[in-house]
């Protein structure tokens, strides 16, 4: 908690103070060291369902449960309390770096959470909408399944993107053609010792008398 921003620390301090005040005023002067799961059940009823209570939202209640749970876990490690009054349940641990789907082992989480909220309000798109999202968003096609939808001219769409979380790779992936073999061109012939008469220009004119006498 010490490394959290000041507004987060202030919100956690208010959550703890509200629970401790409830224990003292509504539970016959009970201290935070003697809190029990029954006190937590009464506190939940007053915070969420009582008509005379504040009736907080689910997200606010989940934050309060997390704050109180972390506080009592720390107090239990420091031998300040005998038990954690927040009821726990066993949940599967998510380990994305392990094989077998990312699940391995188990962990304890608070059982008092609302089990609702925006993180659990997941709606899966129908197959047609998913194909449009895959082809347009990942492959680079436009709405008409044509090339150049993402970045205009010069963009080469991906025929089959990699596995997306929550989806599966295509059953029959398209086979890529091998690159064409490069043609071997023979090097141009270059004589190692060229004749000087062929490389140097001729200085004699064909119609000169010297040339005619040499031909006779």
């Amino acid at each position: 908690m010490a490394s959290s921003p000041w507004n987060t620390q202030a919100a956690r301090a208010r959550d703890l103070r509200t629970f401790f005040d409830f224990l003292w005023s509504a539970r016959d002067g009970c201290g935070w060291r003697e809190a029990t799961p029954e006190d937590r059940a009464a506190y939940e009823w007053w915070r969420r369902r009582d008509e005379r209570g504040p009736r907080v939202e689910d997200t606010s209640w989940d934050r309060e449960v997390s704050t109180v749970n972390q506080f009592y876990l720390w107090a239990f490690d420091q031998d300040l309390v005998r038990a954690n009054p927040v009821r726990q349940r066993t949940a599967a641990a998510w380990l994305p770096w392990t094989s077998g789907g990312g699940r391995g082992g188990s962990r304890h989480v608070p059982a008092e959470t609302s089990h609702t909220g925006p993180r659990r309000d997941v709606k899966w798109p129908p197959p047609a909408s998913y194909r449009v999202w895959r082809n347009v968003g990942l492959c680079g096609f436009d709405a008409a399944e044509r090339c150049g939808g993402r970045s205009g001219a010069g963009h080469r769409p991906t025929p089959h993107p990699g596995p997306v979380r929550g989806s599966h790779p295509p059953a029959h992936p398209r086979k890529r053609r091998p690159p064409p073999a490069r043609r071997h061109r023979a090097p141009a012939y270059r004589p190692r010792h060229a004749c000087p008469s062929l490389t140097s220009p001729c200085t004699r004119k064909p119609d000169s008398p010297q040339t005619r006498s040499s031909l006779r």
Side-chain angles (χ1 to χ4, degrees):
M1 291 186 181
S3 59
S4 303
W6 68 269
N7 54 350
T8 304
Q9 297 183 15
R12 292 179 176 178
R14 287 193 300 268
D15 296 341
L16 293 175
R17 184 190 62 184
T18 303
F19 177 61
F20 296 161
D21 292 345
F22 175 82
L23 292 176
W24 183 261
S25 60
R27 305 298 290 180
D28 299 331
C30 178
W32 65 271
R33 297 174 186 269
E34 292 80 19
T36 60
E38 289 75 14
D39 298 331
R40 289 291 305 173
Y43 181 71
E44 179 185 3
W45 174 265
W46 173 68
R47 293 289 289 173
R48 302 183 61 194
R49 300 179 177 86
D50 192 357
E51 297 180 356
R52 298 173 296 178
R55 300 177 71 96
V56 297
E57 298 180 356
D58 296 337
T59 54
S60 300
W61 172 251
D62 293 342
R63 189 197 67 237
E64 295 180 7
V65 171
S66 177
T67 300
V68 176
N69 182 63
Q70 292 179 9
F71 172 78
Y72 275 98
L73 289 178
W74 170 82
F76 181 80
D77 293 338
Q78 300 296 326
D79 294 334
L80 300 177
V81 295
R82 297 181 179 179
N84 186 0
V86 180
R87 294 182 296 106
Q88 306 289 320
R89 66 180 180 88
T90 304
W94 177 257
L95 302 176
W97 56 85
T98 59
S99 59
R103 294 182 178 271
S106 60
R107 60 191 179 97
H108 296 283
V109 297
E112 301 178 0
T113 54
S114 61
H115 301 287
T116 58
R119 291 187 300 177
R120 297 177 176 86
D121 189 10
V122 180
K123 297 181 180 179
W124 297 100
S129 300
Y130 166 75
R131 286 192 294 268
V132 172
W133 168 79
R134 180 196 60 189
N135 297 339
V136 176
L138 298 182
C139 296
F141 294 94
D142 57 3
E145 302 260 347
R146 293 177 300 184
C147 302
R150 184 189 304 175
S151 59
H155 175 71
R156 300 181 61 184
T158 305
H160 293 290
V164 187
R165 184 175 183 180
S167 63
H168 301 281
H172 302 284
R174 183 183 301 176
K175 296 182 179 180
R176 296 184 177 181
R177 297 180 179 179
R182 295 183 178 180
R183 297 181 179 179
H184 178 71
R185 296 182 179 180
Y189 174 75
R190 295 181 181 179
R192 300 180 59 182
H193 302 285
C195 181
S197 61
L198 298 177
T199 57
S200 60
C202 183
T203 58
R204 298 178 180 180
K205 296 182 180 181
D207 297 337
S208 60
Q210 184 179 5
T211 308
R212 294 175 182 176
S213 61
S214 62
L215 294 177
R216 293 176 183 177

